[in-house]
Amino acid sequence: MADETSDGVELVGVQVNEDTCIGAGQCEMLEEDTFYVDDDTVIAGVIGTGMLPRDRAQKVVDTCPSRAITIVEPAAEEEQ
Amino acid sequence: MSSTAAVNLHNPAVFQAGIPHEVFAEMRATPGLTWSPEHDGTRGFWSVTRYDDLVTVSRDMSTYSSGVGHIQIYDIDEDALEARASMIDMDPPVHTRLRRIISSAFTPRHVKKYKGAIQARVGACLDELEAAGGGNWVDVVAKPIPIGVICDLMGVPEQDHNYLIGLTDHLVAGTGAEPLEPTAYGNTTELRLLPFNSPAAWAMSQYATELADVRRAAPEDDLITKLIEAEIDGERLATEEFANFFRLMIFAGNETTRSSMAHLALYLEQFPDAFAAAQLDRSLIPALTDEVIRYSSAILYFRRTVTAPTELSGTALDVGDKVVMWYCSANFDEAYFPDPYAFRADRPTAPPHAAFGGGGAHFCLGASLARLEIAELISDVLNRDLSFASIGQPEFVESNFVNGIEHLEVTL
Ligand code: HEM
Ligand code: SF4
């Protein structure tokens, strides 16, 4: 699986827990190519490849006020 | 494990010269939570002063309730709580249903649409200040911008903005506004049932109810229309529910941002290096904006009430205990904000400051809007290379709840 960019930065997946998301959109503010808050449900979803460099993914995780975002570790993804 | 507070945090005078940083630094350094004993008939409370404890309380909404008891330190009767309740005084799931009626209007993507209108308001206020060669920064700049923006969003006509400014001025205890007679504005409700025990709250409800009638006859693309048309489980908001919602929006969208904008003028004078850095590198403006919001901590605290026996930081808590989250302390927690009293244009934005709350369902709905308003004010100040020839002593709002500035005279 391509979990690195061409210059060797480690990429990880991100996911949103729809039950705890409060639609504050802090994720969309930081990474608008990866998160999108739906107009009707006001819940964030992952768009595009859903992959981010680990440091940026961690920053979104830390910023989300309801701890609704988690990093999907590449290994865990393969097991599914 | 706990200790007793060295100063009386019930007393607004403790905050008269701004946030008493030494008091909070000492409380943060003391293990456990700090107890403030009963004062003047108001029950005692626990203070949460460290960032990690604050985040724990803020996100555990079932143990630390907003709906049980008041969200301010002083207690109020059950019927008064009921009469004034808006979503900020409720717990999920009711809270969630109410918040979803309007939350889509406040996501960062939506908020960007208001940028042009905000720039116009900021520009007009700074034009006025420049034309007069200075003035009271609070009246000329910090007050009109946020009230104008939130009124536009709600759908309040321009000619009524000043009326609402006048009403909100009466809603914070200790503001310089003249005390009102109990029957001011024609109020007939018992004061104890009104938010901030003020007839101005009643007047605001009256105003909201009349405006709702106008919108029912002629709907517009605004939040008032959204609120009156919304259905929760097939039911529309009752008149009182609508009026309380309206009042929350006007108050929350106004007072807070005003305080941060007022402090901004002080910071321009006190921390010129940070602004000079942003002048050279405009990409620092978002971080500088959050630094203004952290440093000013416009809302000093919100309270929660314990619903089940628990323990926090080694302090045992009982059902009914009042737990006060001091945002103005967590924002200066050395463990999370190195060199916390330094005002920096390049402070990392993660972990986020707690001025918009420590996270959880009540996280400030207007965070993106407030950031945009303050960022546009900073941008325009930099564009004009605005600097003060002199700046007066700030007159702080005497309150242990908001970190407001009443008056700040500047000359250009
Ligand atoms: C610098 C400006 C602002 C600051 C410091 C601030 C701070 C806060 C804080 C501390 C809370 C409570 C968070 C919690 O309990 O976890 C809050 C809630 C709220 N804020 Fe703000 N706020 C600001 C601007 C705004 C603006 C511009 C609006 C306009 C819409 C707004 C609307 C609200 C609302 C509606 C709530 C209640 C949310 C809920 O209960 O779900 N705020 N704000
Ligand atoms: S930051 Fe968190 S709560 Fe806010 S929209 Fe994104 S996932 Fe949801």
Side-chain angles (χ1 to χ4, degrees), chain A residues 25-26 28 36-37 39 65 67, chain B residues 59 108-110 349 359-360 371:
Chain A
Q26 307 301 295
E28 189 183 271
Y36 187 87
V37 181
D39 286 341
R67 287 269 187 276
Chain B
R59 294 179 187 194
R109 187 158 35 89
H110 275 261
T349 50
R371 284 191 174 110

Side-chain angles (χ1 to χ4, degrees), chain B residues 113-129:
Chain B
K113 291 192 283 195
Y114 317 135
K115 190 168 174 174
I118 292 174
Q119 280 172 336
R121 289 201 175 271
V122 168
C125 292
L126 291 180
D127 283 349
E128 190 183 327
L129 188 80

Side-chain angles (χ1 to χ4, degrees), chain A residues 10-77:
Chain A
E10 185 199 5
L11 293 175
V12 293
V14 283
Q15 63 186 20
V16 174
N17 179 340
E18 297 194 353
D19 294 330
T20 51
C21 170
I22 55 161
Q26 307 301 295
C27 51
E28 189 183 271
M29 185 174 71
L30 288 173
E31 298 290 347
E32 60 182 358
D33 296 330
T34 305
F35 297 94
Y36 187 87
V37 181
D38 185 273
D39 286 341
D40 296 323
T41 60
V42 203
I43 290 172
V46 173
I47 54 170
T49 63
M51 304 292 276
L52 283 172
R54 182 177 290 277
D55 58 332
R56 279 164 53 190
Q58 190 59 47
K59 184 168 175 182
V60 195
V61 168
D62 291 343
T63 304
C64 170
S66 61
R67 287 269 187 276
I69 302 171
T70 43
I71 289 178
V72 187
E73 293 298 340
E77 207 173 82

Side-chain angles (χ1 to χ4, degrees), chain B residues 183-324:
Chain B
T183 54
Y185 300 104
N187 173 48
T188 49
T189 307
E190 255 184 282
L191 290 189
R192 67 176 189 90
L193 294 177
L194 293 169
F196 305 98
N197 304 322
S198 171
W202 182 84
M204 205 180 275
S205 295
Q206 287 305 107
Y207 177 82
T209 309
E210 282 162 29
L211 197 54
D213 287 339
V214 175
R215 285 297 181 279
R216 253 180 227 111
E220 297 260 359
D221 182 14
D222 57 29
L223 293 181
I224 293 178
T225 306
K226 253 195 169 145
L227 286 170
I228 56 178
E229 289 181 349
E231 286 186 8
I232 293 180
D233 299 334
E235 281 187 51
R236 300 236 156 133
L237 295 183
T239 306
E240 277 305 301
E241 287 175 307
F242 165 78
N244 289 348
F245 210 133
F246 177 87
R247 204 188 45 248
L248 170 68
M249 297 302 295
I250 295 292
F251 182 73
N254 180 18
E255 192 63 39
T256 48
T257 315
R258 176 198 302 183
S259 301
S260 286
M261 288 183 165
H263 282 88
L264 171 61
L266 285 181
Y267 304 156
L268 272 168
E269 185 72 6
Q270 292 169 353
F271 310 113
D273 294 354
F275 291 89
Q279 182 69 288
L280 289 177
D281 177 0
R282 296 298 177 101
S283 71
L284 290 173
I285 290 179
L288 181 58
T289 300
D290 268 302
E291 186 69 339
V292 169
I293 296 167
R294 176 187 77 95
Y295 216 89
S296 54
S297 298
I299 294 191
L300 298 166
Y301 79 83
F302 268 118
R303 166 192 146 189
R304 300 289 189 260
T305 303
V306 176
T307 60
T310 186
E311 194 197 294
L312 182 63
S313 235
T315 300
L317 297 171
D318 222 339
V319 175
D321 278 3
K322 307 198 272 190
V323 173
V324 172

